[in-house]
Amino acid sequence: MSGVSLATAPREQTAPPAPGATTNANPKQKTQVPSAGGMMGSLRVIELQLVAFVLVLSASGLVPLLDLVFPVLTSVYILALARFAFPSNSASKDSHSQEIFKGSTMFRMYVIVGTTIGLFLPLAYVLGGFARGDEHAVRSATPHLFLLSFQILTENVISGLSLFSPPVRALVPMIYTIRRIFVDIDWISDVWLNKTLPANARIQDAAWHWFGKGLAVANLVYFSINLCGFLVPRFLPRAFERYFQEKGEIYAKTAEDKRSVSFNKPQLSEKKID
């Protein structure tokens, strides 16, 4: 959700055995999922469950129309960028399988905190809202989960395709995070301004009320820091640096090949004259 599924390397893929080579099957080894021809196989089960859950909520009318259309428009824009603005380097077929950003242990802890704040706690808040019959809580947090689920889905799909260059893959979390910040502002407005706690409320109701308020603020703060402190100053420049570095290597190799061909042509013509 903070671009980590793009920053870290995807699942390893085992190369096919050479012709005539013998392989020893080991049932204890983990099965590797190939990316080619198995786009849906690269998605984790929890992500598919989350997408299905949010799609059910969107069908129930809990997600605004703008948030429903936003992933479609974003997908079209990403495809246009991949086709016209930042095409993948043809000489770097395996560039999508390399890391864009290699984080430290502290960075991974930061990611875990963001996953908890942005995904698991809002999901628990929505499920708790259903259990308690709190439709206001469900309606307030559902757009955030809806956009986050599509971001995770998009990141996992494009990370397994060589069609998308590093800048395009880095722009996905940025686009979704910017939109989700505005959604989180609406979430804060709903739970802080439009929802009041009765004076004779029970302790459980008061705790639930303040949990929703704190969760909305925590998501806005985390993803604002993530956008301004990681995605813009570090992740996006690293993606562009790698993209243009690969492009420069391709140009250098092409120029070297042309020089070698032009150097060998006179020698070939002299041999023909002899």
Side-chain angles (χ1 to χ4, degrees), residues 125-126 128-139 195 208-209:
Y125 183 66
V126 171
F130 272 114
R132 297 172 61 92
D134 190 350
E135 184 180 352
H136 188 274
V138 175
R139 187 177 297 274
K195 186 177 181 180
W208 173 257
H209 178 78

Side-chain angles (χ1 to χ4, degrees), residues 263-274:
F263 178 77
N264 293 329
K265 278 183 178 181
Q267 297 180 356
L268 293 174
S269 60
E270 289 176 3
K271 289 182 180 179
K272 290 181 180 180
I273 294 174
D274 296 339

Side-chain angles (χ1 to χ4, degrees), residues 55-191:
L55 286 178
V56 170
L57 292 179
S58 62
S60 63
L62 295 174
V63 180
L65 179 61
L66 178 60
D67 294 327
L68 289 173
V69 178
F70 182 81
V72 178
L73 299 178
T74 301
S75 300
V76 174
Y77 181 63
I78 290 171
L79 290 173
L81 288 177
R83 177 64 179 86
F84 301 105
F86 305 106
S88 180
N89 297 321
S90 58
S92 181
K93 294 295 184 181
D94 296 332
S95 62
H96 65 282
S97 62
Q98 302 174 2
E99 295 181 355
I100 295 179
F101 185 88
K102 187 176 182 180
S104 60
T105 304
M106 291 297 296
F107 176 75
R108 296 185 184 278
M109 292 298 298
Y110 164 78
V111 172
I112 293 175
V113 172
T115 304
T116 304
I117 294 175
L119 178 61
F120 296 123
L121 291 181
L123 182 59
Y125 183 66
V126 171
L127 294 176
F130 272 114
R132 297 172 61 92
D134 190 350
E135 184 180 352
H136 188 274
V138 175
R139 187 177 297 274
S140 299
T142 296
H144 170 89
L145 276 176
F146 180 82
L147 292 174
L148 185 58
S149 67
F150 266 96
Q151 177 185 335
I152 295 173
L153 181 64
T154 305
E155 287 181 1
N156 278 274
V157 169
I158 70 174
S159 64
L161 298 175
S162 59
L163 171 66
F164 300 96
S165 61
V168 176
R169 289 187 280 146
L171 286 171
V172 171
M174 285 192 58
I175 294 173
Y176 275 95
T177 300
I178 292 172
R179 172 57 191 162
R180 204 166 52 252
I181 286 176
F182 289 98
V183 171
D184 290 341
I185 293 175
D186 293 337
W187 185 5
I188 290 177
S189 176
D190 286 340
V191 296

